[in-house]
Every structure is written in C-alpha cells, then in structure tokens.
Amino acid sequence: MAHDVKYHVHLSQEMLEDARVAILPGDPGRVEKTAQFLDPDARFLASNREFTSWLATLDGRKVLVCSTGIGGPSVSICVEELAALGVTCFIRIGTTGAIQADIDLPCVIVTTGAVRLDGASTHYAPIEYPAVADLELTNALVAAVKELGLNHRVGITAACDTFYPGQERYDTFSGYVPRRFQGSLDEWQHLKVLNYEMESATLFVIASVFGLKAAMVASAIVSRARAETPDDAVLVEAELNLARVVKRALQIHIAQPS
Ligand code: URA
C-alpha cells in the first residue's frame, strides 16, 4: 500500500520482512556487493535518490542493507524512516581518513564515540549530549576485527559536515580553510582522535535519543598524516574488509542471547 511506503527510502514494513538490523554504507554502489557478501540470494528492494536497499538473510535473520548517502542530513532521514519501520539496530560501514601518524593502511577503525562536527545531530539533542556507539554492537565489531586478524584501531572519530574545509584540506578550489578549522587536524591528533568521516555523530546521537542501537566501522582510504587525497587503489580491499567485519560481527551479535 502506497501510504505505508516511507517517503525517501521507498520501503514499507512488509518489504522489510521484520528486519530489525540495518547495515548502512554511505555509497549506494556498495549496497548490492555487501548484501550478496552476507547472502548470495540477497535481493534488491528499492532505490530512490541516495537510498538503495537490498534484503539479505544471515543465520536465519533478515538484514537490511541500505545506503545513507553522504553526511548527517541524509543519515537522519534514513534512520528516521527505518526506525519507523521497526529497525532497532544500525551498523554503519564507511570509508575514512586516518589522522594519527602511526596508523598504517590498510586499517579498520571501530568508533566508540564521535566528535560532533556535524549540524544534523544538533537538531536532535544539544551539543553537550554525547555521540556514543552502542557497547554490545561495538564489542561485536571489535571481536570480529580481531578474529579476522585485521590491522585495526578502536576509539574516537571526528564526524564532520564537510570533506574539505572541515577536515582541513587545502588542495581545494579556494585553497582557504576558515580560521575555525585552521590547525584543527593537529589539534584532533593531539586529542588522540583516530580519523575523520562524515556520518557517525548524527547516527549515534539519533540512535541514542530514540533508544536504539548504533555502531560504526570504517576502512581508512587515506592517511592524513601523509596525504590529503584518498587512494582508490586501496578501495577494493577496504570494501572487502568492511563486508567481512560486518558479517562476522552480525553473526556474533545474532548468536548472543537478547
Ligand atoms: N571520508 C572522509 O570523510 N574523509 C576522508 O578523508 C576519507 C573518507
């Protein structure tokens, strides 16, 4: 029934078949590959704007894979609509820029909490409210990464509305970074922040405010201690690592008594 279909994601409760877990890549192009890695019989559900979704079955449970697009505003739409359809557990898989000099690529980073450099999360809770990941889901991600023997780090991520000035990139059209962000990369390094990405703060705050669970794992595609521009050569391995980690983490999570 048309009125049961959510406006942006183009999904209904019926289409989700009681899926309670959603894997959220940013890139619509990563959805099919991720879903089929979980389940070769996964099937396409819908595609509208940045929101592409497939449904997989893993260890007897339905798992939705739905892209969020880039940045907090589209994450907020995705989480709002999926939560209304009964999804309670969100795992973002993304790419990221590592900022600590001792992080060598390839590296998988599990985020425990996010610096709120976004705007969308402030529409849900004041800036003093923490952007923290769900502990059990995060533990499952960490266990999966360790089991797979991947180079990894666990800690704090700076989640930023812009890829360029907010992440202090100078190789840009204007070459200018506003004063607010000049020196910020150095400061986050001193404050032991591991990496930059663009969605985790919004996801964590909304999930916490709604009483839902969210976690985040990312593959580093650039070391900001060495370069500004991501390296496409590492993308294939980065994507495969994310699929392996999220699959194993979900198996661990599903096997736990609820
Ligand atoms: N995503 C980001 O937000 N920053 C990077 O450097 C790489 C991926």
Side-chain angles (χ1 to χ4, degrees):
M1 279 166 285
H3 66 274
D4 289 333
V5 172
K6 291 294 167 195
Y7 183 69
H8 295 90
V9 293
H10 282 193
L11 294 170
S12 65
Q13 240 163 3
E14 198 180 17
M15 291 163 79
L16 257 57
E17 297 181 30
D18 277 331
R20 295 282 175 261
V21 174
I23 298 174
L24 308 178
D27 181 359
R30 215 176 292 144
V31 173
E32 177 176 352
K33 281 182 259 179
T34 306
Q36 288 185 336
F37 190 85
L38 299 182
D39 168 13
D41 295 324
R43 60 188 180 82
F44 170 79
L45 290 184
S47 182
N48 181 47
R49 297 179 179 235
E50 59 267 65
F51 309 109
T52 293
S53 44
W54 281 61
L55 192 66
T57 306
L58 181 70
D59 294 355
R61 301 274 180 93
K62 294 292 174 191
V63 176
L64 178 71
V65 185
C66 180
S67 54
T68 63
I70 294 177
S74 59
V75 167
S76 75
I77 289 170
C78 186
V79 174
E80 278 276 357
E81 295 188 3
L82 296 186
L85 295 176
V87 175
T88 56
C89 182
F90 300 87
I91 303 182
R92 170 166 150 68
I93 56 172
T95 52
T96 188
I99 68 173
Q100 293 297 333
D102 63 354
I103 298 182
D104 294 319
L105 271 48
C107 184
V108 171
I109 297 177
V110 178
T111 300
T112 53
V115 183
R116 293 176 60 189
L117 299 176
D118 68 323
S121 73
T122 64
H123 292 208
Y124 287 84
I127 199 69
E128 296 82 3
Y129 189 93
V132 285
D134 176 77
L135 187 59
E136 283 175 10
L137 273 184
T138 303
N139 284 341
L141 287 171
V142 174
V145 167
K146 288 184 176 168
E147 212 179 282
L148 293 166
L150 298 172
N151 178 35
H152 70 279
R153 298 288 290 269
V154 180
I156 297 171
T157 293
C160 192
D161 265 352
T162 54
F163 184 83
Y164 291 104
Q167 298 183 20
E168 208 185 349
R169 285 185 159 94
Y170 292 92
D171 187 12
T172 58
F173 178 69
S174 70
Y176 180 70
V177 170
R179 256 179 296 183
R180 173 185 172 199
F181 294 113
Q182 288 176 24
S184 60
L185 172 57
D186 181 62
E187 179 156 29
W188 298 129
Q189 286 168 335
H190 274 92
L191 298 180
K192 309 289 187 280
V193 171
L194 297 177
N195 59 318
Y196 280 126
E197 58 83 64
M198 300 177 68
E199 292 82 15
S200 58
T202 310
L203 173 65
F204 291 167
V205 169
I206 298 178
S208 295
V209 164
F210 286 180
L212 305 176
K213 295 171 188 280
M216 155 94 195
V217 60
S219 259
I221 55 171
V222 62
S223 165
R224 291 298 310 282
R226 292 180 258 291
E228 278 201 2
T229 310
D231 179 1
D232 272 355
V234 301
L235 250 185
V236 174
E237 186 178 1
E239 285 179 356
L240 179 63
N241 282 343
L242 290 175
R244 294 170 71 206
V245 170
V246 79
K247 180 175 184 177
R248 188 63 201 124
L250 275 179
Q251 288 172 324
I252 294 168
H253 181 70
I254 287 168
Q256 283 166 354
S258 46

